[in-house]
Amino acid sequence: MIDYNDFEVWFLTGAQLLYGGDAVVAVDGHSNKMVQGLNESGRLPVKVVYKGTVNSAAEVSDAFRKANADPKCVGVITWMHTFSPAKMWIHGLKDFQKPLLHLHTQFNREIPWDTMDMDFMNLNQSAHGDREFGHICARMRVRRKVVVGYWQDPATQDKIAVWMRVCVAWADAQDMLILRFGDQMNNVAVTDGDKVEAEQRLGYHVDYMPFSDVMPYFDAVADKDVDALVAEYFRLYDHDAALEDRSTSGYRKIWNSAKAELTLRAVLKAKGAKGFTTNFDDLGDVNVEQTGRGFDQIPGLASQRLMQEGYGFGAEGDWKSAALFRTVWVMNKGMNGGCSFLEDYTLNFDGKRSAILQAHMLEICPLIADAKPKLEINFLGIGIRKSDTARLVFTSKKGPGCTATIIDLGNRFRLIANDVECIESKPLPKLHVASALWIPMPDFETGAGAWIMAGGTHHSCFSYDLTAEYWEDYAEIAGIEFLHINKDTTLSGFKKELRMNEVYYMLNKALQ
Ligand code: MN
């Protein structure tokens, strides 16, 4: 679904010709060593490609134009080795359309006290050169990540690594298609929004696909493929042995669920979609029991497994969550903790351990499971099909994580991230859903209070691996509002931030 090896981040070194050709040759040598060192660090998920020194406005513009045009390039790192007069960056920065990281570092770690002379100083000018570059970015309101630190230090490299993952996810979103099987659940506000603005601002496109268009894919699924998928389910997941009896209605439900998964995957592949939404009131032919054509149950198991595979998912027509989950999955690729679409399900008041059970009636991604999921058939009495329904049931890992959502405030998108602590849950013998239990930081009252003050959704996209730094980088690239609810948040401080942002975005819009 995504391979980080397909992408590159370009490295441009700012210099000028004032100090002569020899200086530029030396700058080039240093830059090569730095880029080689960054690539060999083993800490960066995307290859850095050195694109040479830029010494004039024409060279800067040419480099950024090439970066814009190359689909492999997901972002550019700039570093000023010498003093690089920043007016020569104006045209290039004005044209540049991809994420920018300004690295403030220096080739040598320490000052060579005993040997340093004026030649050395003419060559190694990052201390003031990077400030000149920073000025023009600030003056031009260029959105960028500024990373300060020695290039060989893991802490510096890790900040670049975070940004790189966000860059890949950002590039992935620019041609993302989200398919909606059904509309928003009637009357729901928070999961809706301006799809035109979303495409302009966040890159992805959202389309409706009626079930009449899905049916040819359903009809084309071969029985032997369904049989094979059911066998895979039984291999992969714990289950009651009785479910394997082909004469039972339980087996039939699992078989139909597998057919729904193959149908949805075929549709998504054929359309080149990276995510989808479902609606439990819209599942095709209402007479499915008689006709055998259509989904006889909400395709929850399919959604769980497609999420794990990398497809974005949002329940009840929630296309913003579908797109955001795909982004989370891409950023999370190759990391150990896992990620999922989740919903604030029910509250557990318990003093300082007050927590929120995170679940959904079916659709939780198995990547966050703490053990092998159990495949179950249970009755689900909601939506157009009140029916026995297949699902994977599990509890989730303990530990810290971060959850995020994007809402549409009418004049802007707002990204809200909340650090959370996943704690030990308890068995739910009568509620057959996958779940997690977490305390929002800094505590339940403040975390939930701030989220509600900010207008956050009941759906969110959670990861054990991604920190708020990822979301800060994402919001910076997208140019949207970012709010981070964390261990230092107070409700009164948070309310001030909301009020100040209101003014900032009103003015910002007026200035555009
Ligand atoms: Mn929901």
Coordinates of all heavy atoms in Angstrom, one line a residue, residues 295-348:
F295 N -25.2 -6.9 1.1 CA -24.6 -7.2 2.4 C -25.7 -7.6 3.4 O -26.6 -6.8 3.6 CB -23.8 -6.0 2.9 CG -22.6 -5.7 2.1 CD1 -21.8 -4.5 2.3 CD2 -22.2 -6.5 1.0 CE1 -20.7 -4.2 1.5 CE2 -21.1 -6.2 0.2 CZ -20.3 -5.1 0.5
D296 N -25.7 -8.8 3.9 CA -26.7 -9.2 4.9 C -26.4 -8.7 6.3 O -27.1 -9.1 7.2 CB -26.9 -10.7 4.8 CG -25.7 -11.4 5.4 OD1 -24.6 -10.8 5.4 OD2 -25.8 -12.6 5.8
Q297 N -25.3 -8.0 6.5 CA -24.9 -7.5 7.8 C -24.0 -6.3 7.5 O -23.4 -6.2 6.4 CB -24.1 -8.6 8.6 CG -22.9 -9.1 7.8 CD -22.3 -10.4 8.3 OE1 -22.0 -10.5 9.4 NE2 -22.3 -11.4 7.4
I298 N -23.8 -5.5 8.5 CA -22.9 -4.4 8.4 C -21.5 -5.0 8.2 O -21.1 -5.9 8.9 CB -22.9 -3.5 9.7 CG1 -24.3 -2.9 9.9 CG2 -21.9 -2.4 9.6 CD1 -24.5 -2.3 11.2
P299 N -20.7 -4.5 7.2 CA -19.4 -5.1 6.9 C -18.3 -4.7 7.9 O -17.3 -4.1 7.5 CB -19.1 -4.6 5.5 CG -19.8 -3.3 5.4 CD -21.1 -3.4 6.2
G300 N -18.6 -5.0 9.1 CA -17.6 -4.6 10.2 C -16.3 -5.3 10.2 O -15.2 -4.7 10.3
L301 N -16.4 -6.6 10.0 CA -15.1 -7.4 9.9 C -14.3 -7.0 8.7 O -13.1 -6.8 8.8 CB -15.5 -8.9 9.8 CG -14.3 -9.9 9.6 CD1 -13.3 -9.8 10.7 CD2 -14.8 -11.3 9.5
A302 N -15.0 -6.7 7.6 CA -14.3 -6.2 6.4 C -13.6 -4.9 6.7 O -12.4 -4.7 6.4 CB -15.2 -6.0 5.3
S303 N -14.3 -4.0 7.4 CA -13.7 -2.7 7.7 C -12.5 -2.8 8.6 O -11.5 -2.2 8.5 CB -14.8 -1.8 8.4 OG -15.9 -1.6 7.6
Q304 N -12.6 -3.7 9.6 CA -11.5 -4.0 10.5 C -10.2 -4.4 9.7 O -9.1 -3.9 9.9 CB -11.8 -5.0 11.6 CG -12.9 -4.6 12.6 CD -13.2 -5.6 13.6 OE1 -13.7 -6.7 13.3 NE2 -12.8 -5.3 14.9
R305 N -10.4 -5.4 8.8 CA -9.3 -6.0 8.1 C -8.8 -5.0 7.1 O -7.6 -5.0 6.8 CB -9.7 -7.3 7.5 CG -9.8 -8.4 8.6 CD -10.4 -9.7 8.1 NE -9.8 -10.1 6.8 CZ -8.6 -10.7 6.6 NH1 -7.9 -11.1 7.7 NH2 -8.2 -11.0 5.4
L306 N -9.6 -4.2 6.4 CA -9.2 -3.3 5.4 C -8.4 -2.1 6.1 O -7.4 -1.6 5.5 CB -10.4 -2.8 4.6 CG -11.0 -3.8 3.6 CD1 -12.3 -3.4 3.1 CD2 -10.0 -4.1 2.5
M307 N -8.8 -1.8 7.3 CA -8.1 -0.8 8.0 C -6.7 -1.3 8.3 O -5.7 -0.6 8.1 CB -8.7 -0.5 9.4 CG -9.5 0.8 9.5 SD -10.0 1.2 11.2 CE -11.5 0.3 11.3
Q308 N -6.6 -2.5 8.8 CA -5.3 -3.1 9.1 C -4.4 -3.1 7.8 O -3.2 -2.9 7.9 CB -5.5 -4.5 9.6 CG -4.2 -5.2 9.9 CD -4.4 -6.5 10.7 OE1 -5.5 -7.0 10.9 NE2 -3.3 -7.0 11.3
E309 N -5.0 -3.3 6.7 CA -4.2 -3.3 5.4 C -3.8 -1.9 4.9 O -3.0 -1.8 4.1 CB -5.2 -3.9 4.4 CG -4.6 -4.7 3.3 CD -5.7 -5.4 2.5 OE1 -6.4 -6.3 3.1 OE2 -5.9 -5.1 1.3
G310 N -4.4 -0.9 5.5 CA -4.0 0.5 5.2 C -5.1 1.3 4.5 O -4.8 2.5 4.2
Y311 N -6.3 0.8 4.4 CA -7.3 1.6 3.9 C -7.9 2.5 5.0 O -8.1 2.1 6.1 CB -8.5 0.8 3.3 CG -8.1 0.1 2.0 CD1 -7.8 -1.3 2.0 CD2 -8.1 0.8 0.8 CE1 -7.4 -1.9 0.8 CE2 -7.7 0.2 -0.4 CZ -7.4 -1.1 -0.4 OH -7.0 -1.7 -1.6
G312 N -8.1 3.8 4.7 CA -8.7 4.7 5.6 C -10.2 4.3 5.8 O -10.8 3.8 4.9
F313 N -10.7 4.5 7.1 CA -12.0 4.1 7.3 C -12.7 5.1 8.3 O -12.1 5.5 9.3 CB -12.1 2.7 8.0 CG -13.5 2.4 8.4 CD1 -14.5 2.0 7.5 CD2 -13.9 2.5 9.7 CE1 -15.8 1.8 7.9 CE2 -15.2 2.3 10.2 CZ -16.2 1.9 9.2
G314 N -13.9 5.5 8.0 CA -14.7 6.3 8.9 C -16.1 5.7 8.9 O -16.7 5.4 7.8
A315 N -16.7 5.5 10.1 CA -18.0 4.9 10.2 C -19.1 6.1 10.0 O -18.8 7.2 10.1 CB -18.2 4.3 11.5
E316 N -20.3 5.7 9.6 CA -21.4 6.6 9.5 C -21.1 7.7 8.6 O -21.5 8.9 8.8 CB -21.8 7.1 10.9 CG -22.4 6.0 11.8 CD -21.4 5.6 12.9 OE1 -20.5 6.4 13.3 OE2 -21.4 4.4 13.3
G317 N -20.4 7.5 7.5 CA -20.1 8.5 6.5 C -19.1 9.5 6.8 O -18.9 10.5 6.2
D318 N -18.3 9.2 7.9 CA -17.3 10.1 8.4 C -16.0 10.1 7.5 O -15.0 9.5 7.7 CB -16.9 9.7 9.8 CG -15.9 10.7 10.5 OD1 -15.5 11.6 9.8 OD2 -15.6 10.5 11.7
W319 N -16.1 10.9 6.4 CA -15.0 10.9 5.4 C -13.7 11.6 6.0 O -12.6 11.3 5.5 CB -15.5 11.6 4.1 CG -16.2 12.9 4.3 CD1 -17.5 13.2 4.6 CD2 -15.5 14.2 4.3 NE1 -17.7 14.5 4.7 CE2 -16.6 15.2 4.5 CE3 -14.2 14.7 4.1 CZ2 -16.3 16.6 4.6 CZ3 -14.0 16.1 4.1 CH2 -15.0 17.0 4.4
K320 N -13.9 12.6 6.9 CA -12.7 13.2 7.4 C -11.8 12.2 8.2 O -10.6 12.2 8.2 CB -13.0 14.4 8.3 CG -13.6 15.6 7.5 CD -13.5 16.9 8.2 CE -14.2 17.0 9.5 NZ -15.7 16.6 9.6
S321 N -12.6 11.4 9.0 CA -11.8 10.3 9.8 C -11.2 9.3 8.9 O -10.2 8.8 9.1 CB -12.8 9.7 10.8 OG -13.0 10.5 11.9
A322 N -12.0 8.9 7.8 CA -11.4 8.0 6.8 C -10.1 8.4 6.2 O -9.1 7.7 6.2 CB -12.5 7.7 5.7
A323 N -10.1 9.7 5.8 CA -8.9 10.3 5.3 C -7.8 10.3 6.3 O -6.6 10.0 6.1 CB -9.1 11.6 4.7
L324 N -8.1 10.8 7.5 CA -7.1 10.9 8.6 C -6.6 9.6 9.0 O -5.4 9.5 9.3 CB -7.7 11.7 9.8 CG -6.7 12.3 10.7 CD1 -5.9 13.4 10.0 CD2 -7.4 12.9 12.0
F325 N -7.4 8.5 9.1 CA -6.9 7.2 9.4 C -5.9 6.7 8.4 O -4.9 6.2 8.8 CB -8.0 6.2 9.7 CG -7.4 4.9 10.0 CD1 -6.8 4.7 11.3 CD2 -7.2 3.9 9.1 CE1 -6.2 3.5 11.6 CE2 -6.6 2.7 9.4 CZ -6.0 2.5 10.7
R326 N -6.2 6.9 7.1 CA -5.2 6.6 6.1 C -3.9 7.3 6.3 O -2.8 6.7 6.3 CB -5.8 6.9 4.7 CG -4.7 6.9 3.6 CD -4.2 5.5 3.3 NE -3.2 5.6 2.2 CZ -2.8 4.6 1.5 NH1 -3.3 3.4 1.7 NH2 -1.9 4.8 0.6
T327 N -4.0 8.6 6.7 CA -2.8 9.3 7.0 C -2.0 8.8 8.2 O -0.8 8.6 8.2 CB -3.1 10.8 7.2 OG1 -3.6 11.4 5.9 CG2 -2.0 11.6 7.7
V328 N -2.8 8.5 9.2 CA -2.2 7.9 10.4 C -1.5 6.5 10.1 O -0.4 6.3 10.5 CB -3.2 7.6 11.5 CG1 -2.7 6.8 12.6 CG2 -3.7 8.9 12.1
W329 N -2.2 5.7 9.3 CA -1.6 4.4 8.9 C -0.3 4.6 8.1 O 0.7 3.9 8.4 CB -2.7 3.6 8.1 CG -2.2 2.2 7.8 CD1 -2.5 1.1 8.6 CD2 -1.5 1.8 6.7 NE1 -1.9 0.0 8.0 CE2 -1.3 0.4 6.8 CE3 -0.9 2.4 5.6 CZ2 -0.6 -0.4 5.9 CZ3 -0.2 1.6 4.7 CH2 -0.1 0.3 4.8
V330 N -0.3 5.6 7.2 CA 0.9 5.8 6.4 C 2.1 6.3 7.3 O 3.2 5.8 7.3 CB 0.7 6.8 5.3 CG1 2.0 7.2 4.6 CG2 -0.3 6.2 4.3
M331 N 1.8 7.2 8.2 CA 2.8 7.7 9.1 C 3.3 6.6 10.0 O 4.5 6.6 10.4 CB 2.3 8.9 9.9 CG 2.0 10.1 9.1 SD 1.8 11.7 10.0 CE 0.4 11.4 11.0
N332 N 2.4 5.7 10.4 CA 2.7 4.6 11.4 C 3.4 3.4 10.8 O 3.8 2.5 11.5 CB 1.3 4.2 12.0 CG 1.4 4.0 13.4 OD1 1.0 4.8 14.2 ND2 1.9 2.8 13.9
K333 N 3.5 3.4 9.4 CA 4.0 2.2 8.7 C 5.4 1.8 9.3 O 6.3 2.6 9.4 CB 4.1 2.6 7.2 CG 4.6 1.5 6.3 CD 3.4 0.6 5.9 CE 3.8 -0.7 5.3 NZ 4.5 -0.6 4.0
G334 N 5.4 0.5 9.6 CA 6.7 -0.1 10.1 C 7.0 0.2 11.5 O 8.0 -0.3 12.0
M335 N 6.1 0.9 12.2 CA 6.3 1.1 13.7 C 5.5 0.0 14.4 O 4.6 -0.7 13.8 CB 5.8 2.5 14.1 CG 6.7 3.5 13.4 SD 6.0 5.2 13.5 CE 7.0 5.9 14.7
N336 N 5.8 -0.2 15.7 CA 5.3 -1.4 16.4 C 4.0 -1.3 17.1 O 3.3 -2.3 17.3 CB 6.4 -1.8 17.4 CG 7.6 -2.2 16.8 OD1 7.6 -2.8 15.7 ND2 8.8 -1.9 17.4
G337 N 3.6 -0.1 17.5 CA 2.4 0.1 18.4 C 1.1 -0.2 17.8 O 0.2 -0.8 18.3
G338 N 0.9 0.4 16.6 CA -0.4 0.2 15.9 C -1.3 1.4 16.0 O -1.0 2.4 16.8
C339 N -2.3 1.4 15.2 CA -3.2 2.6 15.1 C -4.6 2.1 14.8 O -4.8 1.0 14.3 CB -2.7 3.5 14.1 SG -2.4 2.8 12.4
S340 N -5.6 2.9 15.1 CA -7.0 2.6 14.8 C -7.9 3.8 14.8 O -7.6 4.8 15.4 CB -7.6 1.6 15.9 OG -8.9 1.2 15.5
F341 N -9.0 3.6 14.1 CA -10.2 4.5 14.2 C -10.9 4.1 15.5 O -11.0 2.9 15.8 CB -11.1 4.2 13.0 CG -12.5 4.8 13.1 CD1 -12.8 6.1 12.7 CD2 -13.5 3.9 13.5 CE1 -14.1 6.5 12.8 CE2 -14.8 4.4 13.6 CZ -15.1 5.7 13.2
L342 N -11.3 5.1 16.3 CA -11.9 4.8 17.6 C -13.1 5.8 17.8 O -13.1 6.9 17.2 CB -10.9 4.9 18.7 CG -9.9 3.7 18.8 CD1 -8.8 4.0 19.8 CD2 -10.7 2.4 19.3
E343 N -13.9 5.4 18.7 CA -15.0 6.3 19.1 C -15.1 6.4 20.7 O -14.9 5.4 21.3 CB -16.4 5.8 18.6 CG -17.6 6.6 19.1 CD -18.9 6.2 18.4 OE1 -19.0 6.5 17.2 OE2 -19.7 5.5 19.0
D344 N -15.3 7.6 21.2 CA -15.6 7.7 22.6 C -16.9 7.0 22.9 O -18.0 7.5 22.5 CB -15.6 9.2 23.0 CG -14.3 9.9 22.7 OD1 -13.3 9.6 23.4 OD2 -14.3 10.7 21.8
Y345 N -16.8 5.9 23.6 CA -17.9 5.0 23.7 C -18.7 5.2 25.0 O -19.9 5.4 25.0 CB -17.4 3.5 23.6 CG -18.3 2.6 22.8 CD1 -18.7 3.0 21.5 CD2 -18.6 1.3 23.2 CE1 -19.5 2.2 20.8 CE2 -19.4 0.5 22.5 CZ -19.8 0.9 21.2 OH -20.6 0.1 20.4
T346 N -18.0 5.1 26.1 CA -18.7 5.3 27.4 C -17.7 5.6 28.5 O -16.5 5.4 28.3 CB -19.6 4.0 27.8 OG1 -20.4 4.4 28.9 CG2 -18.7 2.9 28.2
L347 N -18.1 6.3 29.5 CA -17.2 6.9 30.5 C -17.2 6.0 31.8 O -18.1 5.4 32.2 CB -17.7 8.3 30.9 CG -18.0 9.2 29.8 CD1 -18.6 10.6 30.3 CD2 -16.8 9.5 29.0
N348 N -16.0 6.0 32.4 CA -15.8 5.3 33.7 C -15.3 6.3 34.7 O -14.1 6.6 34.7 CB -14.8 4.1 33.5 CG -14.8 3.2 34.7 OD1 -15.8 2.8 35.2 ND2 -13.6 3.0 35.3

